């Protein structure tokens, strides 16, 4: 998902113009404790960066210069701030305290454009600390951000002098005080108050340290504002707040609007806050407050219960205010501890969650156990100790984010269920391509739980979720992509499925239902199935009485439906379903070609995806619309009715390369190898490639299908070097729940997946070797024979080994140098071990191997499925 204004959606919430937060150039003394801060002039290529002595900028610490020897501490390589810069293509990454899949994601909320709460640089004021966030989603006014706690001082301890409302209470933070690592975050406000956060799955521990000098100067005790009504987008629709002042416990709840859905999709959130730190802290005053942006700010000390409905005009702010009883004249700074729990089910759950998870209020122990949980995830891929430090950091920083979301809300779901429940799966259009295939390498248990959440969505609400966010369904983006997610699990883990908690018969039923049955409201889930089945594509200008939805995205949805059909065929085959099912879905998937108009020309190339009428005629638009080169800012590129060129959040230039199941067929459709290669080159050189947009993920590796794997390797090196780094702006667009992180993860490991299949295109690893640990399929050790660090920059110098000449599996020559199967990688048993050698050469070797089977698979040339005699319609 993108967030330039053309991609913004008109929903019930107010959208903030992303372009108002321009980026400042990266200061070399910036932020990040754990990060490898490179001087801006450290050379252009990665190789240069890796070898340039760190003279300029921040002095490197010892840890940074030493080769890594302590293989058990991988969290040290994670920079939680990558992707937090508020620039023109922001990553919108969450930077704060979270455990893997944490439902509690604690960080500060800053003003302005900050969908995940935190942004870099620190040029916007902070409104408080919220325990609820998503990561990498593009909703421009943010997701969650509820229940901010803000530490403040009140002049002369006058309650009326306490600035409780959003704007008056905001403070800048001190530059250079943001630090963090997995499980821990800290920053300091400009008045010296230090914030430190850690968390468990559904709870947080928060430390607010008030400087003694500042308290004396203001003649103020420590105070906390506990915001009740404000979420980031400002959508409060009523709720309740209760205080037990004796116990120092507050419970709050409310109803808010989902961040990626229509105004009638609402969610509830609950929190429970403890303020007395097991009797070590005392309150000396308390109040409820209410006010508005016009300066009305009033407090009452006699209340302990408040039920309020949403206001129709304006935005009313409310919450609680507490003062802590401390000796202000003492010389020491005062640290106030806060414990809170959250839930999407009830206030009781929220209290129970924190009592169970942070019963002892032990901040350091909570940090340590969060770090251990992260270590456990990261250790599943062990990079060779000889891996360049920069690559270690890039890799583990990305791998960390692949476990940051979705949010594990099991036990706190809005509906009763015995299944695992994950929230913030937003959107599957983003994540099906690389996130789930990446998860499949090491984490079948986690993958199984998330798949079960999709299936449970079908059980409970009738359809596979596409963009479930804030515990409610969202908008469909490209199509119903729960299908390829289920398929990826089914083809790789069919045998182990039941031990992973997934019933494959149910999985298949849910999938078939999602594909075959027209959904009356395809904009929320499911498909516009009836006309698609009838025509083989979604016709434009067609009255469809079976499904309601805006007349948009016909061409790209058709391509995505077709790919979904293909993955259903793969699933049917993997699960031993009737061969007619395999045939039917496979045939349907080849209908993707019906969307290509041979009559459209652009830059001298013909054949582009276009809208098509039921009578077969095309309704063409300029294929450059909504590409990075499109200068017309009035073009609507997203879900809007005004998006009238048939393609979703992308250009026809970009989507016309999209047929991952039939790449060879696509080459033929576009006029053969030579034309295709020229067109692909033009796509990159002219600037149609959108590195931060998911439909572009496939394009750098399309050279494989031309038998030029070395060109894919060169292209991927260029993409990684140009668009990815460890800087706050180090990803080229929204991370989209780690879509971007998992793409980079694959590129660095030297593979590229086709979701819903076992196919892996072989690239060239950025490190000399690594081991994948899979608890179901065993251990895979990849060794890169002839690895040369000089190859990992933007361009591969002459004579440097970087291209694959041969692959050996357990010592035996694997005949292809372009592809292997997921099954080739893993031994298949938990105790098993497989050795894969990737042998490099400096020569650009043409072709993939000697036989058809060595080439990347394509459906219409006999790959993936046995479909003799089937033809792609022209
Ligand atoms: C891991 O490394 C980081 C950074 O050096 C350090 O802060 C942390 O304490 C280490 N963790 C363990 C468990 O050793
Ligand atoms: C911090 O740095 C930013 C620029 O990166 C600047 O705009 C801001 O004013 C600085 N804040 C403070 C509190 O000095
Ligand atoms: C929260 O909302 C529910 C209604 O869904 C209400 O019954 C409950 O008492 C509310 N209050 C708290 C503090 O949980
Ligand atoms: C999600 O939370 C449940 C309940 O604590 C736990 O059993 C499960 O392992 C968690 N799943 C993941 C993937 O972290
Ligand atoms: C493929 O498209 C044709 C129209 O060209 C249509 O008749 C057929 O039903 C489609 N195939 C499937 C399996 O949907
Ligand atoms: C298809 O339908 C459009 C719109 O009704 C019409 O303009 C066009 O002439 C038709 N083409 C054919 C070949 O029937
Ligand atoms: C956009 O504007 C630039 C500079 O004016 C021009 O070179 C380019 O061709 C334009 N692009 C499109 C797609 O119109
Ligand atoms: C820009 O796009 C809008 C909306 O499609 C269109 O009305 C307008 O004519 C376009 N402007 C130019 C200069 O092409
Ligand atoms: C394209 O290249 C592949 C691989 O070299 C070859 O098998 C195929 O026949 C070529 N196609 C055409 C149309 O030349």
């Amino acid at each position: 998902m993108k967030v330039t204004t053309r991609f913004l959606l008109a929903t019930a919430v107010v959208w903030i113009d992303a372009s108002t937060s321009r980026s400042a150039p990266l200061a070399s003394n910036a932020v990040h404790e754990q990060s490898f801060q490179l001087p801006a002039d450290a050379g252009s290529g990665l190789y240069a960066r890796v070898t340039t002595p760190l003279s300029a900028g921040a002095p490197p610490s010892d840890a940074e210069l030493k080769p890594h020897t302590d293989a058990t501490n991988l969290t040290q390589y994670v920079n939680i701030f990558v992707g937090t810069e508020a620039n023109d293509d922001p990553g919108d990454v969450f930077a704060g305290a979270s455990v893997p899949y944490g439902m509690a994601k604690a960080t500060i909320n800053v003003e302005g454009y900050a969908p995940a709460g935190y942004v870099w640089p620190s040029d916007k004021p902070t409104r408080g600390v919220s325990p609820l966030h998503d990561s990498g989603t593009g909703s421009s006014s943010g997701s969650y951000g509820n229940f901010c706690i803000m530490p403040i001082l009140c002049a002369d301890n006058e309650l009326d002098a306490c600035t409780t409302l959003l704007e008056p209470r905001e403070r800048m933070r001190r530059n250079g005080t943001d630090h963090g690592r997995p499980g821990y975050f800290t920053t300091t406000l400009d008045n010296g108050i230090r914030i430190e956060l850690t968390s468990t799955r559904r709870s947080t521990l928060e430390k607010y340290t008030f400087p003694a000098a500042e308290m004396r100067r203001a003649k103020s005790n420590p105070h906390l504002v506990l915001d009740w009504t404000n979420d980031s987008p400002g959508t409060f629709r009523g709720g309740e707040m209760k205080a037990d002042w004796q116990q120092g416990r507050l419970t709050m709840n409310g109803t808010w609007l989902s961040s990626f859905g229509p105004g009638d999709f609402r969610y509830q959130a609950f929190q429970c806050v403890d303020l007395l730190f097991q009797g070590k802290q005392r309150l000396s005053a308390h109040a409820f407050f209410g006010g508005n942006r016009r300066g009305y700010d009033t407090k009452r000390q006699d209340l302990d219960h408040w039920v309020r409905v949403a206001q129709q005009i304006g935005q009313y702010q409310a919450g609680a205010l507490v003062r802590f009883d401390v000796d202000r004249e003492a010389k020491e700074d005062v640290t106030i501890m806060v414990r809170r729990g959250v839930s999407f089910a009830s206030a009781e759950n929220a209290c129970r969650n924190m009592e169970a998870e942070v019963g002892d209020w032990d901040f350091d122990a909570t940090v340590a156990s969060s770090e251990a949980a992260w270590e456990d995830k990261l250790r599943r891929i062990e990079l060779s100790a000889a891996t360049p430090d920069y690559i270690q950091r890039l890799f583990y920083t990305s791998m960390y984010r692949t476990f940051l979301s979705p949010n594990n809300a099991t036990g706190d779901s809005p509906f009763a269920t015995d299944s695992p429940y994950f929230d913030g799966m937003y959107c599957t259009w983003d994540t099906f391509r690389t996130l789930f295939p990446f998860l499949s390498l090491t984490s079948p248990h986690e993958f199984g739980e998330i798949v079960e959440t999709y299936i449970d969505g079908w059980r409970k609400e009738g359809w596979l979720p596409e963009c479930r966010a804030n515990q409610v369904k969202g908008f469909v983006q490209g199509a119903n992509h729960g299908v390829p997610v289920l398929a990826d699990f089914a083809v790789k883990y069919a045998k182990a499925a039941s031990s992973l908690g997934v019933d494959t018969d149910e999985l298949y039923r849910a999938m078939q239902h999602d594909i075959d049955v027209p959904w009356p409201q395809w904009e929320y889930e499911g498909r516009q199935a009836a006309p698609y089945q009838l025509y083989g594509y979604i016709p434009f200008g067609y009255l469809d009485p079976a499904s309601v939805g805006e007349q948009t995205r016909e061409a790209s949805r058709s391509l995505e439906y077709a790919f979904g059909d293909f993955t259903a065929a793969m699933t049917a085959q993997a699960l031993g379903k009737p061969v007619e099912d395999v045939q039917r879905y496979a045939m349907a998937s080849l209908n993707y070609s019906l969307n290509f108009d041979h009559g459209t020309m652009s830059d001298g190339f013909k054949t582009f995806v276009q809208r098509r009428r039921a009578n077969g005629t095309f309704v063409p638009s300029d294929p450059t619309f909504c590409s990075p080169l499109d200068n017309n800012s009035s073009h609507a590129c997203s879900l809007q009715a005004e998006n009238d060129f048939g393609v979703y959040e992308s250009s026809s230039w970009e989507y016309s390369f999209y047929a991952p199941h039939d790449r060879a067929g696509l080459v033929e459709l576009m006029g053969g190898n030579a034309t295709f290669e020229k067109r692909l080159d033009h796509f990159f050189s002219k600037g149609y490639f959108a590195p931060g947009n998911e439909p572009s993920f496939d394009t750098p590796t399309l050279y494989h299908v031309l038998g030029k794997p070395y060109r894919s390797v060169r292209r991927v090196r260029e993409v990684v070097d140009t668009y990815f780094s460890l800087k706050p702006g180090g990803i080229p667009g929204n991370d989209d729940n780690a879509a971007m992180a998992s793409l980079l993860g694959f590129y660095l490991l030297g593979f590229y997946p086709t979701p819903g299949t076992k196919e892996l295109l072989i690239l060239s690893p950025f490190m000399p070797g690594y081991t994948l640990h899979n608890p179901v399929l065993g251990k895979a050790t990849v060794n890169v024979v002839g690895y040369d660090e000089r190859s990992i920059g933007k361009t591969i110098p002459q004579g440097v080994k970087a291209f694959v000449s041969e692959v050996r599996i357990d010592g035996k020559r694997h005949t292809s140098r372009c592809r292997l199967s997921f099954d080739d990688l893993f031994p298949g048993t938990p105790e098993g071990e497989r050795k894969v050698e990737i042998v490099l050469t400096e020569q650009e070797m043409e072709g993939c191997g000697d036989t058809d089977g060595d080439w990347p698979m394509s459906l219409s040339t006999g790959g993936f499925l046995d479909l003799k005699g089937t033809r792609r319609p022209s």
Side-chain angles (χ1 to χ4, degrees), residues 343-393:
S343 171
F344 300 128
S346 70
E348 293 69 35
N349 270 28
C351 297
R352 214 176 320 131
N353 290 344
M354 74 180 179
E355 282 160 5
E357 295 173 7
V358 282
D360 54 6
W361 293 70
D362 189 335
F363 191 91
D364 293 341
T366 305
V367 173
S369 82
S370 180
E371 194 177 330
W374 282 110
E375 193 66 39
D376 172 65
K377 302 289 185 208
L378 299 180
R379 222 181 292 155
R380 295 172 187 187
I381 301 182
E382 276 180 277
L383 304 187
S384 142
T387 302
D389 188 80
Y390 180 72
I391 298 299
Q392 300 251 22
R393 289 172 195 276

Side-chain angles (χ1 to χ4, degrees), residues 532-536 584 587-588 591 594 873:
Y532 173 70
Q533 285 162 6
L534 189 60
Y535 297 100
R584 176 163 67 94
M587 287 296 287
N591 273 343
L594 297 176

Side-chain angles (χ1 to χ4, degrees), residues 667-668 671-674 705-707 847 852 855:
V667 171
E668 197 190 315
N673 293 332
V705 74
L706 301 169
D852 285 354
W855 289 72

